[in-house]
Amino acid sequence: MTGNGAKRIIDQTIDYPESDRFAHISVWSVPESEAYPEGIKYSMHYGNKAGDTVLRYDNAHPETKGHERHVGEDIDEDYEYPGSYVEVLQRFRREVNEYEQN
């Protein structure tokens, strides 16, 4: 636990050597605030080792609109936060598995 009341819930990296990609999942419980009204800060990134983003879900940037879904360098303007980081995590894992199977 850090001094600001944040507590790490998930910190996981998964390597996919056959595709030269990886996924990193970071979820924190944080004090509720205007930036994080649910009390959760998260980033779920899937990309390659060259630094390219394939897929990312996050709300880790309080100066942006909040919950975002990135596909490549684009933001999915139609994305709607389902109300729980657990639901986001399930969708993220499902999508990563689909990318890895193709």
Side-chain angles (χ1 to χ4, degrees):
M1 184 143 146
T2 64
N4 65 1
K7 180 180 176 189
R8 186 186 326 255
I9 298 171
I10 300 172
D11 184 20
Q12 179 182 33
T13 300
I14 304 162
D15 286 315
Y16 299 97
E18 290 186 20
S19 65
D20 196 39
R21 295 180 181 156
F22 70 95
H24 182 78
I25 302 165
S26 178
V27 181
W28 290 80
S29 172
V30 297
E32 290 183 14
S33 65
E34 187 175 322
Y36 304 107
E38 298 89 5
I40 294 291
K41 177 179 175 179
Y42 64 89
S43 175
M44 302 171 195
H45 175 86
Y46 173 66
N48 64 29
K49 294 180 181 172
D52 300 315
T53 297
V54 176
L55 177 70
R56 185 173 69 244
Y57 288 85
D58 67 56
N59 73 337
H61 307 286
E63 66 278 359
T64 63
K65 71 172 186 130
H67 304 280
E68 295 178 329
R69 178 178 182 266
H70 305 256
V71 179
E73 297 303 316
D74 297 323
I75 294 178
D76 178 355
E77 297 293 338
D78 296 324
Y79 174 68
E80 292 185 26
Y81 178 66
S84 159
Y85 84 87
V86 173
E87 292 175 80
V88 176
L89 180 57
Q90 290 169 342
R91 180 175 173 177
F92 175 76
R93 287 180 172 158
R94 186 174 56 251
E95 288 182 87
V96 167
N97 285 334
E98 289 172 4
Y99 276 108
E100 284 299 310
Q101 291 176 2
N102 294 326

